[in-house]
Amino acid sequence: KAGVTQTPRYLIKTRGQQVTLSCSPISGHRSVSWYQQTPGQGLQFLFEYFSETQRNKGNFPGRFSGRQFSNSRSEMNVSTLELGDSALYLCASSLDPGGDEQYFGPGTRLTVT
Amino acid sequence: KQEVTQIPAALSVPEGENLVLNCSFTDSAIYNLQWFRQDPGKGLTSLLLIQSSQREQTSGRLNASLDKSSGRSTLYIAASQPGDSATYLCAVKPNTGNQFYFGTGTSLTVIP
């Protein structure tokens, strides 16, 4: 069974631009969560989607948004990029919101210059 | 809000040593606790999951314990190997919501 896949793996953007990251969960998993990882803040929860609906949202500005499609694939979008958005963005999938374990993808490394 | 702390932040041991990594959390109302391993620049690999009703879980050379009432978990690694070098993260899932709260991690180096 294939794991969680994230595309692209690496991305370089300029301040002010916007970016879209994609996550395909494990087949059969319907819940997708997004996390931001930075050296200073560690891993921080962005949001969680289930059945195309956002169920939880972390403490991030409105520039960070996401969506989930009917096939459970999810995208997150960051608009008006800032230098501080440079991070590893990790996606995790689980069977459903009550699922015990989350399985993480390899992440997308975003660098904002 | 749940706060998760891991001590020490970094650890360097010679190959073959047994070692203990610590994780503490402030709110004992947790659903489960999960230990992960992260290699540089990579995603997270799940190591062990402990349900709130359990006291410990074992997988090979790894043993994780949970004391919910005191807000603590430990990850015991037996007979450490250079391949164990990585950052180890603990994460707690509260009783409500599917969000994990992560610790800041312990960076482990096992010296051959």
Side-chain angles (χ1 to χ4, degrees):
Chain A
K1 191 187 254 191
V4 179
T5 58
Q6 292 187 245
T7 56
R9 293 293 312 280
Y10 303 92
L11 207 49
I12 300 175
K13 289 287 188 178
T14 304
R15 250 173 37 177
Q17 289 186 315
Q18 75 163 22
V19 67
T20 299
L21 312 181
S22 179
C23 170
S24 292
I26 292 171
S27 177
H29 285 196
R30 301 181 297 163
S31 178
V32 174
S33 298
W34 289 89
Y35 293 84
Q36 180 197 65
Q37 186 178 33
T38 60
Q41 299 295 320
L43 268 151
Q44 292 185 290
F45 173 77
L46 281 157
F47 26 64
E48 179 212 353
Y49 286 88
F50 174 73
S51 290
E52 303 177 61
T53 302
Q54 187 181 91
R55 289 172 49 90
N56 287 299
K57 189 177 194 309
N59 190 25
F60 278 82
R63 298 185 298 107
F64 292 81
S65 63
R67 60 177 174 168
Q68 186 180 35
F69 301 94
S70 59
N71 61 357
S72 295
R73 189 177 71 85
S74 176
E75 290 181 345
M76 68 163 282
N77 184 77
V78 187
S79 63
T80 319
L81 284 165
E82 301 178 359
L83 295 178
D85 297 333
S86 294
L88 180 67
Y89 289 88
L90 292 162
C91 162
S93 81
S94 60
L95 274 171
D96 54 49
D100 282 343
E101 272 188 271
Q102 290 194 343
Y103 297 85
F104 282 79
T108 293
R109 171 73 62 185
L110 172 65
T111 302
V112 182
T113 62
Chain B
K1 182 194 166 194
Q2 179 75 267
E3 302 279 347
V4 183
T5 305
Q6 291 185 247
I7 294 174
L11 185 61
S12 184
V13 300
E15 182 177 1
E17 267 203 12
N18 302 324
L19 58 102
V20 175
L21 307 181
N22 297 292
C23 171
S24 60
F25 47 94
T26 54
D27 187 347
S28 62
I30 66 169
Y31 183 75
N32 62 39
L33 182 146
Q34 197 165 351
W35 281 92
F36 294 90
R37 167 189 173 135
Q38 186 175 32
D39 292 285
K42 301 289 181 62
L44 276 62
T45 300
S46 178
L47 297 174
L48 288 164
L49 172 72
I50 310 178
Q51 302 292 352
S52 62
S53 59
Q54 296 175 319
R55 297 284 294 183
E56 65 179 321
Q57 280 287 341
T58 298
S59 176
R61 295 182 294 110
L62 305 180
N63 176 276
S65 68
L66 174 64
D67 184 343
K68 206 171 68 163
S69 61
S70 67
R72 292 180 184 176
S73 177
T74 61
L75 178 66
Y76 174 82
I77 303 177
S80 58
Q81 303 171 357
D84 294 332
S85 297
T87 295
Y88 291 80
L89 295 148
C90 73
V92 298
K93 182 178 174 183
N95 284 330
T96 56
N98 201 32
Q99 169 185 352
F100 272 102
Y101 291 89
F102 281 86
T104 48
T106 293
S107 177
L108 172 65
T109 302
V110 180
I111 304 165

